[in-house]
Amino acid sequence: MAAMPYPSGTITNSIGHLEIGGCDVTELASEFGTPAYVFAVAEMRDRARAYQSAFAAHTDHFEVLFASKALPVTAAYRLFAEEGLSVDVASGGELTMALAAGFDPSKIYMHGNNKTDAELDLASRMDVGHLILDSFDEIDRCERVLGKTQDVLVRVTPGIKPSTHSFIQTGQLDSKFGFGLEDGTAARAIERTLASDKLNLVGLHCHIGSQIFEIEPFRLAVEALGALRGDWCRILDLGGGLGIAYGEEDSPPSIGEYVNLKIQAVRDVFGNDVKILIEPGRSLVGTAGVTIYRVGTIKEIPGVRTYIAVDGGMSDNLRPMLYDAKYTAVIASRPNDPADTTVTVAGSHCESGDILIRDVDLAKPRVGDILLVPATGAYGHSMANNYNGMPRPPVIFCEDGEAEAVVRRETWDDLMARDM
Ligand code: LLP
């Protein structure tokens, strides 16, 4: 049987409890309360280093960008800046956080299919290194708003559809993002940008989707982009998308396999001189983070199912409801007891669809147990909401046995902070 997708370094300690980043999970629950997002900092660093060393083995002409939408927390921006990564921001808000965390503006790449005047103006004033152009309207807007010449990439939808949930496929012609290859708009956008005296076209961007396990589509995307090759093309930004394990049965490709394929594909199609950029989000932070909850009620419906309700749900993890995402779980104080009880994990929201996990096998749960759901480090905190007036959980970073709340828990008063 494959292993649970815990952060690396997770152990069962001498009293039989799970320990993450050297911190006993049940103690974290007492100290910081539940629900809480708990991260093993070492795993985030290890993954950032794995990406960089996979490239460095072949070339020094690359940049690894933290796709910050996966975990837009100042401490995460700071950590990846320290690790030497660049950063992908998708809004003025993410840009503001990246700058506040100390990212060198030249290492910031700004995305968005509808950047506002205010966002473009901020990017220009802050000397953001590169904008990724997404539409003809945006090209017009840039020419009007930008205070100076700006390096840009053109985002292309190469017509490649990886097998993942349709909500997170982004490389097909029928997409709100970028310029189509098949319909000739990408070629027109390139021509239009080359003719602009405000915009300095230096390369192409594509991102075909997210949570992808087959790596072949990434090669096909590079081959498709080859049709647009030109002397101006010094940078190829190939987006993110590498999948992670959410459950014991998932086996995603390694970072090394994924990077090697991209390097090889670029060399085959564009030669050795083009700088390769990638934008991992999920695969930097996803398995580094877990969510801990406290079990509050247990409802057995004889012959039907047993529900256990935890103190969070669709406000802290929307992914099961949005993408039918599957998770696994474990009781943090009894990780090695036989998982002999099948239960459905429900949240606390006023909605029947608020189910985090259907039919998961646990050591017989009791009220008060701490339930740990692995692989919630990406797009959990970032898509959290206040449905039913639920305060959002804190983000706890654990490293070498020290735990620190890098984002505090929201309070009931916070819920009214913007009310006039
Ligand atoms: N670059 C661009 C331009 C993107 O749009 C994305 C993700 C990434 C990079 C990072 O992709 P990753 O390495 O994380 O797959 N909320 C969804 C995921 C949406 C991804 C959006 N774009 C989820 O929870 O699965």
Side-chain angles (χ1 to χ4, degrees):
M1 196 173 67
M4 289 281 275
Y6 295 137
S8 54
T10 299
I11 58 160
T12 305
N13 64 18
S14 57
I15 51 169
H17 294 178
L18 277 182
E19 214 172 88
I20 288 187
C23 301
D24 183 316
V25 168
T26 62
E27 284 174 20
L28 293 175
S30 312
E31 184 179 352
F32 296 99
T34 51
Y37 303 110
V38 174
F39 284 82
V41 171
E43 167 139 349
M44 294 192 267
R45 292 194 195 282
D46 288 349
R47 288 182 160 258
R49 290 172 193 176
Y51 268 109
Q52 289 174 303
S53 51
F55 272 105
H58 300 279
T59 174
D60 53 9
H61 210 34
F62 70 90
E63 271 177 69
V64 177
L65 282 54
F66 164 44
S68 62
K69 69 206 78 186
L71 187 63
V73 164
T74 322
Y77 286 96
R78 208 177 298 126
L79 182 146
F80 289 120
E82 266 169 34
E83 290 295 326
L85 265 49
S86 300
V87 65
D88 146 4
V89 299
S91 69
E94 289 183 358
L95 171 58
T96 303
M97 286 187 271
L99 290 167
F103 259 105
D104 177 342
S106 70
K107 295 180 116 185
I108 301 180
Y109 290 75
M110 182 152 179
H111 283 277
N113 68 306
N114 185 21
K115 303 175 194 75
T116 63
D117 285 15
E119 287 174 322
L120 291 171
D121 173 57
L122 178 68
S124 180
R125 281 189 291 109
M126 294 295 133
D127 297 325
V128 163
H130 294 82
L131 293 181
I132 289 80
L133 298 178
D134 213 279
S135 70
F136 289 110
D137 291 316
E138 178 175 80
I139 295 176
D140 295 341
R141 198 170 298 158
C142 281
E143 289 182 327
R144 191 164 41 75
V145 172
L146 299 181
K148 56 181 187 305
T149 309
Q150 173 70 52
D151 285 352
V152 295
L153 309 179
V154 159
R155 178 165 181 168
V156 179
T157 50
I160 306 295
K161 246 191 188 186
S163 46
T164 187
H165 194 284
S166 64
F167 287 11
I168 47 182
Q169 285 175 340
T170 45
Q172 69 282 8
L173 178 63
D174 182 359
S175 165
K176 72 167 183 163
F177 297 106
F179 299 95
L181 186 66
E182 293 142 280
D183 64 359
T185 49
R188 274 176 43 223
I190 289 167
E191 238 175 79
R192 167 84 177 77
T193 308
L194 286 171
S196 165
D197 45 18
K198 268 282 177 64
L199 301 174
N200 181 31
L201 181 62
V202 295
L204 297 172
H205 172 276
C206 88
H207 170 77
I208 58 174
S210 198
Q211 184 56 10
I212 298 171
F213 278 23
E214 331 158 80
I215 52 179
E216 198 49 27
F218 294 112
R219 172 196 300 285
L220 298 176
V222 174
E223 286 171 1
L225 290 181
L228 300 168
R229 227 172 32 227
D231 293 346
W232 47 268
C233 189
R234 300 194 297 278
I235 296 180
L236 267 186
D237 181 344
L238 300 175
L242 178 62
I244 59 161
Y246 280 92
E248 287 166 300
E249 63 295 344
D250 295 334
S251 49
S254 69
I255 287 175
E257 286 172 276
Y258 168 81
V259 168
N260 289 348
L261 175 128
K262 287 198 168 180
I263 295 175
Q264 198 52 53
V266 172
R267 291 197 165 161
D268 290 347
V269 180
F270 287 81
N272 289 342
D273 297 335
V274 175
K275 182 173 192 178
I276 309 175
L277 273 51
I278 52 165
E279 303 174 328
R282 192 186 317 262
S283 56
L284 282 176
V285 298
T287 47
V290 306
T291 307
I292 58 173
Y293 303 95
R294 194 174 290 274
V295 176
T297 61
I298 299 179
K299 174 181 177 178
E300 249 182 86
I301 312 174
V304 180
R305 70 174 66 246
T306 298
Y307 287 96
I308 67 169
V310 296
D311 49 1
M314 62 193 293
S315 52
D316 60 76
N317 187 357
L318 259 185
R319 300 192 70 262
M321 301 81 203
L322 267 184
Y323 316 118
D324 200 23
K326 304 283 184 270
Y327 288 86
T328 185
V330 67
I331 305 288
S333 58
R334 302 193 296 284
N336 299 329
D337 283 12
D340 54 9
T341 313
T342 305
V343 301
T344 285
V345 180
S348 301
H349 294 276
C350 291
E351 185 148 328
S352 300
D354 175 33
I355 300 294
L356 286 169
I357 317 175
R358 255 174 230 288
D359 299 332
V360 60
D361 296 332
L362 297 177
K364 193 170 175 49
R366 305 174 200 135
V367 169
D369 276 343
I370 300 304
L371 185 83
L372 179 149
V373 178
T376 56
Y379 305 110
H381 165 80
S382 63
M383 299 200 297
N385 59 79
N386 293 124
Y387 185 39
N388 294 134
M390 200 76 97
R392 284 172 292 181
V395 177
I396 315 294
F397 273 17
C398 299
E399 192 167 26
D400 301 330
E402 301 287 328
E404 184 193 359
V406 296
V407 176
R408 67 163 171 82
R409 182 181 304 286
E410 232 170 3
T411 64
W412 287 328
D413 281 341
D414 286 334
L415 298 176
M416 294 176 286
R418 291 180 304 137
D419 292 358
M420 305 297 279

